Amino acid sequence: MTDRAQPDTPEEEILAQLEAVSYVAHRDACAALPAVRAVEAAGAARWLEAGRELFLRDRDAGRAFWRGTPALAGAFAGLDPWLEQALSLGRVRGAWRAVEGFMAQAGAVRARWGGAGERRWFDLGRRWTVRDAGAGGRYFETPFEALAGAGAGVEALEALLAPAESLGEGGTALGAYLDAALRLRGTVDAGTFARWAARGADVLRAARTRGERYFRLEGEGLDSLFELMPGFSVRRRGRLLRLLLEAWFGAALPEAARAWRESDWRPGGGAAAVETDGRRLWLPAVFPDREAAVLGVLHAAGHLVYGTYEPHALAAEAGSGGPGEGPAEAWTRRCASVTGEADGRFRAVFDLCEDLRVDLRLARRIPGYAKRLQRLARAAPRPSGYAGRLRDALCAGLGALDADHPADALGPRLAPLAAPEATVATAFACARAWFRETGGPEGAETDADGAGPAPAAAFHLPGRGPNAPRPAGAVAAAHAAAAGAGDEGAGEAHTRRPAAVPAGARAGRNPRVESRGAMGGSGARGAGVGSVARVPPSPAPRAPRRGGRAYPEWDYRAQAYREGWARVHDCELREHDAAGAARMWEATAHLRRRLRRALQRQRPVRRAPLRRRPDGEDLDLDAAVDYVVARRAGLAPRPDVYVRRAARGRDTAVLLLADLSTSIMATTPDGGGRVVDRLRAALLVFADALEEVGDPCAVRGFASKYHDGVEYYRIKAFDEPLDADRRARIAGLTGRLASRMGAAIRRAVDELRAAPAQRRLLLILSDGRPADYDDGGDLRYLHEDTRLAMKEARDAGIHAFCVTLDPRAGTYLPAIFGVGHYLVLEDVDRLPQRLPEIYLRLRRGGAA
Amino acid sequence: MKKLLDRVRGGERDAVAAPEPGAAPFYLPQGNEIAVFEAASRRRLPVMLKGPTGCGKTRFLEHMAHRLGRPLVTVACHEDLTAADLVGRFLLEGDATVWQDGPLTRAVREGAICYLDEIVEARTDTTVVIHPLTDHRRRLPLDRKSRVVEAHEDFQLVISYNPGYQTVLKDLKPSTKQRFVAIAFDYPDAAAERAIVAQEAGGLPAGVIDSLVAAGRRARRLKDHGLEEATSTRAMVYAAQLMQAGLAPAAACRAAMVHPLTDDPELVAALEEIVDAHFGPDAAPAAPRPADDPPA
Ligand SMILES: Nc1ncnc2c1ncn2[C@@H]1O[C@H](COP(=O)(O)OP(=O)(O)OP(=O)(O)O)[C@@H](O)[C@H]1O
Ligand SMILES: [Mg+2]
């Protein structure tokens, strides 16, 4: 005790120094000192020294050290090894958060995993801290049990971080990695995660910022995760869902709903489920499995077909809102009219009733639906609490789907749902009565945990979610993000219509693209020129463009040609992308090889026999008989009595004319890329396949701005090989301007006329209707002109065929090209493969 | 009649022969095609049967030939079919050359119905030889022999034609098409299709036939969504016949209605979903016709 009065013991000295520097530090140190002395009397000096060093390096670290000491000293029954550990962390620059986290958790870690476990936990964290202090802070701050996963040991933690060992130092990648790891744990299995992280490490090595974005789950990071995740990938297999919607609903399902988009669902963001705004669907990129995907999508479509979101269906039940009330707000208001805002339980009960009503209808439409859904429900884990009770009620209700008398099987409370005339209002009334009487499924009123919406909504089966429409804002935002080039849905049409600007003032933009907001179109492609119709046709004065070739244009209003009205300019494409071409060449190698093999197999059959030859593989029966007859008659005929199957040369020439207007820059509906990428690949594969076939082939593109500004781009001419230069041109293609199709067709027909073949095919590749800046919004004008251009082509002996990416082409193409002279390709991704296939089918039976 | 046919199977018979005695081959009319054909026959007008594959064109003609008591000569056209194959050629016989009539010439001489199936597949020179047969001249020039055959008064030319995009490059010239009376066929409606399948594969329970036809018509909706040819009535008849032969329904449907139609994996998956919905382990036992399912 006497020592303490001496200011020159090391302890006193340090305390004095601290007091001089910081009142708080001194106070904290004094407060913790007894706890240190209690476990290790001789260690006080060592402890104080360490604390001082930490404090002088970083006040926050020091403070954390003093304050954390009593707990750690107790937990470790001494100062080792945590004192050294804290110090070594504190010596890393900027690591105060790591020290704080360490001090706060080390005791618990030791208690849970023992001394050795604690050491491994620390070593791992220190390595991270050294590499990136921020990431170290994140590591130590994160509850260790959360890092390792519930109930798992330190090994799980090591496994989680192992893929990051190769990530290198510095930057924010480690922190992002850790966030991603934590977010994905539990949603994504360890193997998938490891593969994903390994890919990310590669990306990071190649380019740091790209790698950091990868781990933040942006762009390719997310794409790669979706690709690796087990389950049903909508990106890869979405077409199956589309086909099923088509088969089961056909025209009953509005076009808009069939052109669904990818939602912004991310792993870790709750269950993957179909969403809707009441008109169209949003699908997560990955469903847990195929059953969840198929049944979820059918169910969601059922809501649309059976009127869940009919705007006025609930007006009688729950009143109508003010003008401008969106569907989402209306839904909320109606639910709130029963229970008040905060209570998610009524919403869930209403969902349950409405889902049952829709499922009952679906079970009548789709054989086997009932059994499949029941099986899905049995296999899905039952949630706890209120949601669990709801699930039980749902399962009981699903039992009625295939009952002989569904109404009886449902019981009196839900029986009205089975009536053929039941609507969403019936479901609302059922739910309200049920909720008011008993608060929902029996026993629910004793539940404490049912107040929040999230727990109640957990009753939904995999692939399905709450029925409330997505709020318009979210829809618009997600939509804009997905659409890139300006595709927009009709839901917001009235608010989004472009201002009426004279056509001339909108130079450089495609009227098709601009008009989308007002069109109520669905797909990224092919939206019409509706809004242009509302634009007063008052073009600003504009210098006419001279040069080029003049072509007539058909004016249906005058029932006459406007001579020389259209001017077509032959243009070179300036953009070349040699690197892109090399990449594409590589990426399409497999497809091209397959096509070439198929062609080689097909080729011998393709040869038409040459008759009456002086030599050949077979006898020509007719010629031989003629020969003998002539000989008998005493003549000396030439012995041309053989058939040869040699290729008879070029019997078909094809000119591929691609619409290069702005709309090709849109993203594909499945969110997997842009239309232009598929287009480039398609042209490349097509030209390559044609080289193999040996048919003369030219590839052209066109775009237009005003009647005198139709551009006709040279991509590959008839006599040019598909060399590196032409490939680079294809890879550099971009969209621009509008599409005055008739003029381009007339130009192409001119070129085809001179083509070296007996049969000539004009293959048009389009993604929307003909439209131009100066068509005054009169859809019919350019349609009629294109139709006439087609007729001229036919008269010139040229066959024409149109392949379009516009799902709604069925409404205008038959009139332009004629039934059977066009094909709608719904799946843009398959364009590269389909285009050559279509050509080969067209030319099959090539004997002229 | 079937027995009779069986007796002659494997044997040879003349291509131009009077119809077998007995009932006409089963054909269920879809509309007024029988009346149109009879009228055209009376006025000796050539007829064009248009329609997708497997919708009953050939069967219709067999039925009509029988009904009218005329022989029927069928030529399946293909891309190597030449005018000589149709009209005829010289052959050597001993020391002499003899002319042998082709099937068209025989029909013209003997007063048969000549059916050129899938005419667009044939080489274009073949379409030229039929021109003089299709107008008021009704004669067939035999160029090699420098002769002309005037058509028998019962001779009638019928061609079939499947309008699809595959034939764009080979489309008949409008001038050719307009020489024919055209009858447009399509797949029959659901009730008729059930009746046809039931008749062609006798003895299957009505419930099975209902499901089969429902599945087939469902699958047909995928035409133009990747399916180039829709599920035909013929495909359904085949499936029914496989079931009749003891194959499990789902397997029969796969074999007759899924795999022949497409190799595209997603389409196969979608078609199989449809088959399984009707015949898979979850399929409901032939439920009454759904009230709110509009006929496909
Ligand atoms: N209306 C019908 N009446 C009776 N059987 C029919 C009818 N329609 C189709 N079938 C059945 O469909 C089968 C196929 O019909 P058919 O061979 O006549 O088709 P098609 O139209 O000639 O086809 P393709 O164009 O491929 O030659 C027939 O064998 C028959 O079993
Ligand atoms: Mg629902």
Side-chain angles (χ1 to χ4, degrees):
Chain A
M1 285 308 259
T2 50
D3 284 350
R4 287 183 66 198
Q6 296 288 349
D8 53 354
T9 67
E11 298 166 28
E12 293 292 341
E13 193 185 310
I14 294 170
L15 283 173
Q17 192 186 353
L18 280 175
E19 190 167 20
V21 184
S22 156
Y23 164 75
V24 178
H26 179 256
R27 186 197 62 197
D28 287 351
C30 289
L33 198 54
V36 175
R37 292 224 170 89
V39 294
E40 201 174 320
R46 182 159 66 98
W47 174 77
L48 274 171
E49 241 169 80
R52 178 182 57 186
E53 182 181 342
L54 281 170
F55 183 80
L56 292 180
R57 280 178 186 276
D58 189 306
R59 289 175 171 243
D60 292 309
R63 191 176 321 121
F65 180 80
W66 308 128
R67 293 190 179 164
T69 288
L72 288 195
F76 286 77
L79 299 179
D80 296 311
W82 63 268
L83 182 68
E84 277 312 310
Q85 291 173 337
L87 196 54
S88 81
L89 276 184
R91 284 179 179 147
V92 179
R93 214 182 155 76
W96 60 273
R97 282 175 51 215
V99 176
E100 266 182 6
F102 170 81
M103 293 301 294
Q105 292 205 73
V109 174
R110 187 195 145 92
R112 181 71 191 279
W113 289 343
E118 189 272 343
R119 215 174 274 280
R120 281 158 74 181
W121 169 75
F122 165 78
D123 285 345
L124 210 49
R126 191 182 122 77
R127 265 210 308 282
W128 277 65
T129 312
V130 169
R131 288 162 70 190
D132 173 0
R138 202 85 55 86
Y139 173 94
F140 283 109
E141 274 170 0
T142 310
F144 70 100
E145 284 177 304
L147 273 182
V154 66
E155 308 75 31
L157 176 56
E158 285 167 346
L160 179 74
L161 298 184
E165 290 298 328
S166 57
L167 291 187
E169 266 135 65
T172 56
L174 284 176
Y177 171 89
L178 198 58
D179 288 342
L182 290 173
R183 197 162 126 198
L184 297 181
R185 123 144 334 123
T187 320
V188 172
D189 65 294
T192 303
F193 180 77
R195 277 195 298 279
W196 176 78
R199 264 197 207 177
D202 287 343
V203 174
L204 195 67
R205 260 194 298 280
R208 173 147 294 275
T209 44
R210 235 179 86 203
E212 289 171 4
R213 290 193 57 221
Y214 183 99
F215 283 110
R216 281 201 302 274
L217 280 172
E218 292 166 16
E220 64 184 318
L222 187 64
D223 290 342
S224 148
L225 181 63
F226 282 151
E227 190 186 320
L228 293 169
M229 269 174 75
F232 183 92
S233 162
V234 174
R235 290 183 174 184
R236 264 199 309 278
R237 307 211 48 200
R239 211 167 129 250
L240 171 62
L241 302 176
R242 259 188 240 286
L243 289 169
L244 290 175
L245 287 182
E246 189 62 41
W248 292 120
F249 298 103
L253 191 65
E255 180 89 47
R258 269 175 286 172
W260 42 256
R261 297 196 154 271
E262 184 173 299
S263 73
D264 44 17
W265 175 84
R266 300 286 177 266
V274 186
E275 296 170 66
T276 181
D277 64 352
R279 290 188 65 245
R280 53 174 87 198
L281 303 177
W282 276 260
L283 269 55
V286 180
F287 280 98
D289 56 41
R290 175 166 153 174
E291 284 301 284
V294 170
L295 294 174
V297 168
L298 291 178
H299 176 83
H303 277 299
L304 300 184
V305 170
Y306 298 123
T308 296
Y309 303 104
E310 272 327 313
H312 305 296
L314 284 178
E317 298 292 329
S320 26
E325 183 185 52
E329 296 87 53
W331 196 273
T332 305
R333 185 180 48 73
R334 284 162 189 154
C335 293
S337 73
V338 178
T339 52
E341 285 289 336
D343 194 343
R345 288 178 307 159
F346 174 69
R347 264 186 185 233
V349 174
F350 177 26
D351 275 1
L352 177 95
C353 294
E354 177 60 4
D355 281 1
L356 272 176
R357 179 185 77 89
V358 166
D359 284 333
L360 283 158
R361 301 286 292 266
L362 285 171
R364 271 187 282 167
R365 179 182 278 255
I366 304 174
Y369 179 80
K371 285 270 177 346
R372 273 176 97 173
L373 195 58
Q374 289 158 357
R375 184 146 25 81
L376 184 78
R378 273 197 304 278
R382 181 186 182 277
S384 61
Y386 190 71
R389 259 183 273 277
L390 286 166
R391 172 68 70 75
D392 296 342
L394 176 67
C395 289
L398 293 181
L401 293 190
D402 53 351
D404 289 335
H405 302 286
D408 297 349
L410 281 171
R413 194 184 287 290
L414 298 178
L417 299 175
E421 68 281 359
T423 66
V424 63
T426 318
F428 191 84
C430 274
R432 187 174 47 195
W434 193 7
F435 194 78
R436 288 202 173 136
E437 271 173 50
T438 64
E442 277 54 42
E445 68 284 359
T446 60
D447 266 348
D449 66 346
F459 89 90
H460 283 288
L461 294 176
R464 310 176 14 162
N467 288 337
R470 290 162 63 114
V475 171
H479 213 75
D487 160 48
E488 196 32 71
E492 300 78 47
H494 46 285
T495 57
R496 288 260 193 132
R497 187 185 311 156
V501 183
R506 294 178 294 126
R509 301 186 59 198
N510 185 347
R512 256 197 232 167
V513 170
E514 280 182 285
S515 67
R516 291 221 161 107
M519 258 313 274
S522 55
R525 292 154 285 129
V529 284
S531 75
V532 179
R534 300 178 191 106
V535 175
S538 55
R542 183 179 64 83
R545 190 165 162 187
R546 311 223 168 268
R549 296 167 188 242
Y551 286 97
E553 192 164 276
W554 177 255
D555 185 349
Y556 76 95
R557 293 160 300 204
Q559 286 295 302
Y561 279 104
R562 295 163 104 167
E563 286 304 330
W565 181 245
R567 289 198 162 269
V568 182
H569 309 264
D570 285 12
C571 299
E572 292 291 335
L573 282 164
R574 253 163 277 128
E575 305 91 332
H576 283 220
D577 182 357
R583 264 200 312 279
M584 246 164 58
W585 195 247
E586 190 66 24
T588 56
H590 180 67
L591 174 58
R592 287 184 295 110
R593 220 177 14 248
R594 238 186 41 211
L595 272 169
R596 276 180 176 256
R597 263 205 307 274
L599 292 173
Q600 276 154 7
R601 254 183 276 123
Q602 199 185 345
R603 204 157 44 173
V605 192
R606 301 236 30 74
R607 294 177 186 175
L610 296 174
R611 300 182 180 278
R612 296 181 187 271
R613 298 285 123 184
D615 55 78
E617 297 94 338
D618 277 319
L619 261 186
D620 181 336
L621 199 56
D622 290 328
V625 171
D626 288 348
Y627 176 79
V628 174
V629 171
R631 285 289 298 260
R632 294 258 164 87
L635 306 175
R638 284 172 35 158
D640 295 342
V641 295
Y642 295 96
V643 179
R644 226 171 55 196
R645 297 223 160 241
R648 208 189 6 195
R650 320 180 131 190
D651 64 0
T652 308
V654 56
L655 189 150
L656 180 63
L657 181 63
D659 176 349
L660 296 186
S661 56
T662 318
S663 44
I664 60 171
M665 303 309 283
T667 41
T668 57
D670 296 355
R674 287 175 311 166
V675 174
V676 68
D677 298 322
R678 308 291 186 276
L679 180 74
R680 291 174 187 154
L683 296 188
L684 188 73
V685 172
F686 180 82
D688 183 56
L690 268 280
E691 295 230 307
E692 176 65 33
V693 184
D695 286 351
C697 157
V699 181
R700 296 285 184 172
F702 75 96
S704 69
K705 190 170 160 196
Y706 308 122
H707 62 96
D708 54 1
V710 183
E711 309 206 324
Y712 186 69
Y713 302 103
R714 183 159 80 160
I715 300 171
K716 174 189 168 316
F718 276 115
D719 48 5
E720 293 176 337
L722 180 66
D723 58 11
D725 184 44
R726 314 257 138 50
R727 298 208 293 258
R729 273 186 225 173
I730 292 177
L733 287 182
T734 50
R736 77 272 323 270
L737 311 176
S739 50
R740 202 173 199 94
M741 199 182 274
I745 288 175
R746 291 188 180 93
R747 174 70 190 88
V749 164
D750 265 357
E751 184 173 359
L752 258 175
R753 254 189 248 273
Q758 291 159 316
R759 290 196 309 179
R760 292 180 283 264
L761 174 69
L762 172 60
L763 194 56
I764 300 164
L765 185 55
S766 135
D767 73 335
R769 9 169 133 246
D772 204 350
Y773 293 81
D774 55 356
D775 60 14
D778 182 356
L779 288 179
R780 204 173 143 198
Y781 178 78
L782 285 180
H783 280 195
E784 292 275 339
D785 175 57
T786 310
R787 190 172 67 77
L788 262 286
M790 288 302 307
K791 188 177 168 306
E792 294 158 31
R794 257 195 314 277
D795 292 345
I798 288 165
H799 301 275
F801 191 80
C802 177
V803 175
T804 181
L805 301 173
D806 181 358
R808 288 177 305 156
T811 59
Y812 58 89
L813 279 192
I816 297 180
F817 290 95
V819 179
H821 287 254
Y822 71 92
L823 193 72
V824 181
L825 207 63
E826 297 208 322
D827 187 11
V828 195
D829 290 345
R830 282 165 53 87
L831 181 65
Q833 181 188 341
R834 293 287 285 129
L835 193 61
E837 284 176 4
I838 290 166
Y839 172 69
L840 288 171
R841 292 217 54 179
L842 287 173
R843 86 190 272 289
R844 194 193 57 177
Chain B
M1 163 177 137
K2 191 150 181 307
K3 270 204 206 103
L4 221 148
L5 266 183
D6 286 344
R7 218 179 308 139
V8 296
R9 297 247 187 254
E12 237 177 54
R13 66 184 176 89
D14 193 352
V16 184
E20 304 287 344
F26 167 70
Y27 177 77
L28 192 76
Q30 298 179 21
N32 66 348
E33 66 270 31
I34 292 184
V36 173
F37 194 93
E38 281 176 345
S41 263
R42 268 195 299 275
R43 304 313 307 256
R44 312 286 179 249
L45 295 175
V47 173
M48 164 162 68
L49 309 180
K50 290 203 316 189
T53 184
C55 70
K57 300 186 293 290
T58 304
R59 176 61 65 90
F60 168 70
L61 197 60
E62 285 167 358
H63 175 84
M64 290 311 298
H66 199 283
R67 220 177 149 109
L68 298 170
R70 307 245 183 93
L72 174 64
V73 179
T74 300
V75 181
C77 300
H78 53 84
E79 55 186 76
D80 281 345
L81 188 88
T82 62
D85 293 329
L86 283 179
V87 173
R89 51 167 56 96
F90 281 106
L91 293 178
L92 292 173
E93 215 174 271
D95 267 356
T97 59
V98 291
W99 172 261
Q100 190 187 42
D101 283 339
L104 178 62
T105 312
R106 290 202 53 195
V108 169
R109 286 187 206 281
E110 297 172 31
I113 296 174
C114 182
Y115 178 38
L116 303 180
D117 200 0
E118 285 296 345
I119 180 87
V120 291
E121 295 292 343
R123 292 160 57 92
T124 36
D125 56 341
T126 55
T127 46
V128 175
V129 308
I130 64 176
H131 270 198
L133 275 173
T134 51
D135 50 32
H136 65 278
R137 289 174 285 175
R138 283 180 52 89
R139 64 163 71 119
L140 177 65
L142 304 181
D143 290 341
R144 299 232 171 115
K145 283 179 84 180
S146 308
R147 293 283 173 80
V148 170
V149 186
E150 298 294 335
H152 185 286
E153 104 175 290
D154 281 348
F155 167 76
Q156 190 178 12
L157 185 66
V158 180
I159 63 173
S160 80
Y161 163 72
N162 178 354
Y165 84 86
Q166 305 87 336
T167 54
V168 166
L169 272 178
K170 301 177 293 180
D171 209 350
L172 292 179
K173 287 206 260 335
S175 60
T176 306
K177 280 192 199 166
Q178 287 189 13
R179 291 158 179 269
F180 290 85
V181 169
I183 303 178
F185 287 74
D186 203 346
Y187 298 116
D189 65 29
E193 212 151 29
R194 279 194 290 270
I196 291 168
V197 174
Q199 172 72 31
E200 297 285 302
L204 281 184
V208 170
I209 288 174
D210 283 359
S211 296
L212 171 61
V213 171
R217 298 181 71 83
R218 214 30 104 175
R220 195 170 285 162
R221 293 188 173 194
L222 296 182
K223 166 120 167 66
D224 292 336
H225 295 271
L227 265 195
E228 269 146 23
E229 296 289 356
T231 316
S232 66
T233 311
R234 179 194 296 125
M236 294 186 207
V237 168
Y238 280 2
Q241 288 172 344
L242 289 176
M243 293 179 201
Q244 215 181 12
L247 209 57
C253 289
R254 276 185 173 72
M257 293 174 15
V258 176
H259 295 299
L261 261 65
T262 180
D263 305 321
D264 170 350
E266 293 309 335
L267 261 173
V268 167
L271 291 171
E272 287 187 334
E273 281 251 351
I274 294 171
V275 168
D276 284 344
H278 291 91
F279 289 113
D282 297 331
R289 185 141 290 275
D292 54 351
D293 189 5

